Structures are given as structure tokens and as C-alpha cells.
Amino acid sequence: MAISIELVVGLVFLLIIIIIFIAMSFRVVREWERAVVLRLGRFLRTKGPGIIFLIPFVDRPIIVDLRINTVDVPPQTILTRDNVTVSVDAVVYYKVIDSQKAVITVYNYNVAVLNLAQTSLRDIVGQMELDELLSKREEINKRLQEILDVTTEGWGIKVTAVTIRDIRISQDLLTAIAKQAEAERLRRAKVILSEGERQAASILADASTYYRDNPTALQLRFLETLSDISQRGGLIVVVPAGNEIYPTLGTTLAITNLSKKIQSTTQQGTKS
């Protein structure tokens, strides 16, 4: 009877060990993950997604996330080529495209990408002037992404995008830039005003030439101006009316009266 109890306990114990062994042999890898399996320290193969089989205490799985990951590059205090101190931070978007390389080639690819982004950002900004830095952010993003891609390609990582998030400069420099922008706007306003005056003077010169060649038009323009002035209430306008003031208009009126007399004489001769 004692032997039977010991046998049952042994069988139960063995069954528990088998269940634990089986439970440790299977693992679920999600759709966006891959398991890099090392067998006794050597790379076996990449498994997943789904249920994978492992030999307990022999196979060691390293789970790698294939989704796009983001890393914040902390603000970097950098001296530009024109000796201006700026603080620049960025965001790097990347994903693992080769799980085997990401595990075997680099110790910690997250930290490696961060450190590489920091050093590359400092190198790029240090070679640029402040005006270029403020106006060519897209170009900086592209150059930084290209530099990261060249290095991380051997790590099995693809950098999908890089974005310069903020560029900070001192308050004194901001004030100087604002004054410079204001001075530039004033300069443009004066140039536009001068150009308008030049065009107006040119048009007036053409008008004066036309009025010189057409005195009658000048007199009619003068009368039109008087008519505009007379429409304003409470004004008394005194204008000399002698022919010495309006010789052209007087001549024109005389010619008009003479033409009318000639036409009348002609009509009477026709009727006779």
C-alpha cells in the first residue's frame, strides 16, 4: 500500500513537471513582434508571429517590436558657424526591418539611435549659420535622416522621418532679429513709396507734354477743376476772366463762332 502511494505521488509530480515543461515550451508572439531565438547562445532563427515552440532552458527568445518607434532628442546647445549659441531638439521616427541584425549587430538599438541622432544633429547645425538654420529646417531634416539611414541600415533599422521640433535662441538675439525685420519692412515701404512717386512724376511729365501740345485740353481741365471745387459748400472762388488768362479758350470760342457764321451763310446761299 505504501509503495502504491509513493508511486502515485511520483506520477503526479512527474505530470506536474511535464505540464510545466510544456507550458514553458510554447509562447505567443503578437502580430507586430518577432522572436529572435538563441539556442545555447547561438542564433537559431527568427520566429513569429503566432504560437512558437521553444526548448526550455535551451532556447532563449528575444522579442523585437516592429512598429514605428519614436525617440526624443533632448535639446542640444550648439554653436553655429557664425558664433551664435542655439538650443535645438528633434524627434526621430524609426522601425526595425531586420530583427536578427537589430539584436546581434548592436547592443541596444534604441540608445544607439538616440546617441547617433544627437551627434549628427550637432554636426549639421554646427556647419550652418543662424539664418540658414531658421529658414532651412526641411533641408536639415532630410540631411539628418540621410545620415542616420546610412549608419542604421547595418543595424536592421530604417529611419522613416526626422523632425526639428524647436530652435531656441537668447532673448537679446530675438530682440535684435525683430529690430532687423522692422528695419527691413521700413526700407521696403520707403522703396515702394519712392517708386510710386517716380511713376507719378513720369505720368505727370507725360501729361504736361500733352497739355503743352494741346492748350485747349489744359483749359478744359482747368474748368473741370473749378467745377469740382465749386461743389464744396462755403467756398468763394475768384477767377480772372480776361483773354490774357484764357487765350487758348478765347481763340477756341472765336473759331467756333466763326464756324457757325460760315455754316449759316452757306445755308442761306443754298436756299437762295
mmCIF file of all heavy atoms in Angstrom, residues 27 31 40 56 96 107 119 124 135 137 146 182 201 232 254 269 272:
data_model
loop_
_atom_site.group_PDB
_atom_site.id
_atom_site.type_symbol
_atom_site.label_atom_id
_atom_site.label_comp_id
_atom_site.label_asym_id
_atom_site.label_seq_id
_atom_site.Cartn_x
_atom_site.Cartn_y
_atom_site.Cartn_z
ATOM 1 N N ARG A 27 5.050 29.711 -26.634
ATOM 2 C CA ARG A 27 4.936 31.132 -26.341
ATOM 3 C C ARG A 27 4.198 31.809 -27.490
ATOM 4 O O ARG A 27 4.351 31.427 -28.654
ATOM 5 C CB ARG A 27 6.319 31.759 -26.156
ATOM 6 C CG ARG A 27 6.272 33.219 -25.749
ATOM 7 C CD ARG A 27 7.589 33.665 -25.182
ATOM 8 N NE ARG A 27 7.538 35.046 -24.743
ATOM 9 C CZ ARG A 27 8.531 35.650 -24.114
ATOM 10 N NH1 ARG A 27 9.653 34.974 -23.846
ATOM 11 N NH2 ARG A 27 8.427 36.908 -23.730
ATOM 12 N N GLU A 31 1.306 39.970 -33.471
ATOM 13 C CA GLU A 31 1.470 40.259 -34.887
ATOM 14 C C GLU A 31 2.597 41.246 -35.161
ATOM 15 O O GLU A 31 3.304 41.140 -36.164
ATOM 16 C CB GLU A 31 0.143 40.814 -35.445
ATOM 17 C CG GLU A 31 0.162 41.154 -36.930
ATOM 18 C CD GLU A 31 0.376 39.937 -37.810
ATOM 19 O OE1 GLU A 31 -0.047 38.827 -37.398
ATOM 20 O OE2 GLU A 31 0.966 40.089 -38.886
ATOM 21 N N LEU A 40 21.422 27.948 -26.889
ATOM 22 C CA LEU A 40 22.714 27.817 -26.227
ATOM 23 C C LEU A 40 23.665 28.943 -26.638
ATOM 24 O O LEU A 40 24.863 28.742 -26.835
ATOM 25 C CB LEU A 40 23.337 26.445 -26.522
ATOM 26 C CG LEU A 40 22.539 25.236 -26.016
ATOM 27 C CD1 LEU A 40 23.229 23.946 -26.437
ATOM 28 C CD2 LEU A 40 22.356 25.292 -24.510
ATOM 29 N N PRO A 56 12.766 24.535 -23.310
ATOM 30 C CA PRO A 56 13.063 25.244 -22.048
ATOM 31 C C PRO A 56 14.517 25.067 -21.625
ATOM 32 O O PRO A 56 15.112 23.991 -21.810
ATOM 33 C CB PRO A 56 12.092 24.593 -21.059
ATOM 34 C CG PRO A 56 10.989 24.048 -21.899
ATOM 35 C CD PRO A 56 11.634 23.599 -23.173
ATOM 36 N N VAL A 96 12.214 48.727 -36.913
ATOM 37 C CA VAL A 96 13.112 47.599 -37.153
ATOM 38 C C VAL A 96 12.630 46.845 -38.385
ATOM 39 O O VAL A 96 11.461 46.452 -38.462
ATOM 40 C CB VAL A 96 13.153 46.656 -35.933
ATOM 41 C CG1 VAL A 96 14.037 45.450 -36.224
ATOM 42 C CG2 VAL A 96 13.660 47.408 -34.708
ATOM 43 N N TYR A 107 24.121 46.503 -29.488
ATOM 44 C CA TYR A 107 23.764 46.087 -28.129
ATOM 45 C C TYR A 107 22.361 46.553 -27.763
ATOM 46 O O TYR A 107 21.522 45.767 -27.334
ATOM 47 C CB TYR A 107 24.786 46.637 -27.138
ATOM 48 C CG TYR A 107 24.419 46.395 -25.691
ATOM 49 C CD1 TYR A 107 24.455 45.110 -25.155
ATOM 50 C CD2 TYR A 107 24.023 47.444 -24.880
ATOM 51 C CE1 TYR A 107 24.108 44.893 -23.833
ATOM 52 C CE2 TYR A 107 23.681 47.227 -23.560
ATOM 53 C CZ TYR A 107 23.722 45.953 -23.036
ATOM 54 O OH TYR A 107 23.364 45.724 -21.725
ATOM 55 N N THR A 119 24.611 63.283 -31.983
ATOM 56 C CA THR A 119 25.891 63.683 -32.588
ATOM 57 C C THR A 119 25.706 64.206 -34.010
ATOM 58 O O THR A 119 26.344 65.195 -34.406
ATOM 59 C CB THR A 119 26.867 62.504 -32.584
ATOM 60 O OG1 THR A 119 26.260 61.384 -33.267
ATOM 61 C CG2 THR A 119 27.204 62.082 -31.175
ATOM 62 N N ILE A 124 25.535 68.807 -37.983
ATOM 63 C CA ILE A 124 24.851 69.536 -39.054
ATOM 64 C C ILE A 124 24.635 70.996 -38.665
ATOM 65 O O ILE A 124 24.927 71.916 -39.442
ATOM 66 C CB ILE A 124 23.505 68.854 -39.380
ATOM 67 C CG1 ILE A 124 23.749 67.476 -40.006
ATOM 68 C CG2 ILE A 124 22.682 69.719 -40.332
ATOM 69 C CD1 ILE A 124 22.485 66.687 -40.246
ATOM 70 N N SER A 135 15.709 79.138 -41.644
ATOM 71 C CA SER A 135 14.956 79.114 -42.897
ATOM 72 C C SER A 135 15.007 77.771 -43.625
ATOM 73 O O SER A 135 14.230 77.571 -44.572
ATOM 74 C CB SER A 135 15.474 80.207 -43.838
ATOM 75 O OG SER A 135 16.846 79.995 -44.147
ATOM 76 N N ARG A 137 14.762 74.404 -42.307
ATOM 77 C CA ARG A 137 14.516 73.301 -41.383
ATOM 78 C C ARG A 137 14.230 71.999 -42.133
ATOM 79 O O ARG A 137 14.649 70.916 -41.699
ATOM 80 C CB ARG A 137 13.350 73.659 -40.458
ATOM 81 C CG ARG A 137 13.627 74.879 -39.602
ATOM 82 C CD ARG A 137 12.483 75.243 -38.701
ATOM 83 N NE ARG A 137 12.226 74.227 -37.695
ATOM 84 C CZ ARG A 137 11.466 74.435 -36.626
ATOM 85 N NH1 ARG A 137 10.898 75.619 -36.441
ATOM 86 N NH2 ARG A 137 11.266 73.471 -35.752
ATOM 87 N N GLU A 146 19.154 61.238 -43.850
ATOM 88 C CA GLU A 146 20.096 60.522 -44.714
ATOM 89 C C GLU A 146 21.293 60.001 -43.922
ATOM 90 O O GLU A 146 21.735 58.860 -44.114
ATOM 91 C CB GLU A 146 20.563 61.444 -45.835
ATOM 92 C CG GLU A 146 19.471 61.799 -46.842
ATOM 93 C CD GLU A 146 19.930 62.829 -47.858
ATOM 94 O OE1 GLU A 146 21.088 63.301 -47.707
ATOM 95 O OE2 GLU A 146 19.161 63.166 -48.769
ATOM 96 N N GLU A 182 12.003 94.775 -38.576
ATOM 97 C CA GLU A 182 11.271 96.041 -38.654
ATOM 98 C C GLU A 182 11.976 97.028 -39.579
ATOM 99 O O GLU A 182 11.330 97.718 -40.387
ATOM 100 C CB GLU A 182 11.136 96.639 -37.253
ATOM 101 C CG GLU A 182 10.328 97.926 -37.215
ATOM 102 C CD GLU A 182 10.196 98.473 -35.810
ATOM 103 O OE1 GLU A 182 10.750 97.847 -34.877
ATOM 104 O OE2 GLU A 182 9.534 99.512 -35.642
ATOM 105 N N ALA A 201 5.498 110.955 -61.067
ATOM 106 C CA ALA A 201 6.202 112.053 -61.734
ATOM 107 C C ALA A 201 6.322 111.809 -63.225
ATOM 108 O O ALA A 201 6.188 112.736 -64.043
ATOM 109 C CB ALA A 201 7.581 112.236 -61.105
ATOM 110 N N ARG A 232 -17.996 122.146 -53.344
ATOM 111 C CA ARG A 232 -17.783 122.194 -51.915
ATOM 112 C C ARG A 232 -18.473 123.433 -51.354
ATOM 113 O O ARG A 232 -18.232 124.550 -51.797
ATOM 114 C CB ARG A 232 -16.294 122.234 -51.581
ATOM 115 C CG ARG A 232 -15.524 121.040 -52.121
ATOM 116 C CD ARG A 232 -14.041 121.156 -51.805
ATOM 117 N NE ARG A 232 -13.296 120.042 -52.373
ATOM 118 C CZ ARG A 232 -11.964 119.909 -52.273
ATOM 119 N NH1 ARG A 232 -11.266 120.839 -51.633
ATOM 120 N NH2 ARG A 232 -11.369 118.873 -52.821
ATOM 121 N N ALA A 254 -13.754 131.895 -80.417
ATOM 122 C CA ALA A 254 -13.840 132.719 -81.628
ATOM 123 C C ALA A 254 -13.922 131.856 -82.874
ATOM 124 O O ALA A 254 -14.713 132.115 -83.786
ATOM 125 C CB ALA A 254 -12.631 133.663 -81.699
ATOM 126 N N GLY A 269 -27.200 130.822 -98.696
ATOM 127 C CA GLY A 269 -26.876 130.846 -100.123
ATOM 128 C C GLY A 269 -27.481 129.672 -100.838
ATOM 129 O O GLY A 269 -27.927 129.752 -101.984
ATOM 130 N N SER A 272 -31.237 130.332 -101.430
ATOM 131 C CA SER A 272 -31.467 131.323 -102.494
ATOM 132 C C SER A 272 -31.275 130.671 -103.861
ATOM 133 O O SER A 272 -31.996 130.975 -104.812
ATOM 134 C CB SER A 272 -30.498 132.499 -102.329
ATOM 135 O OG SER A 272 -30.690 133.121 -101.055
#
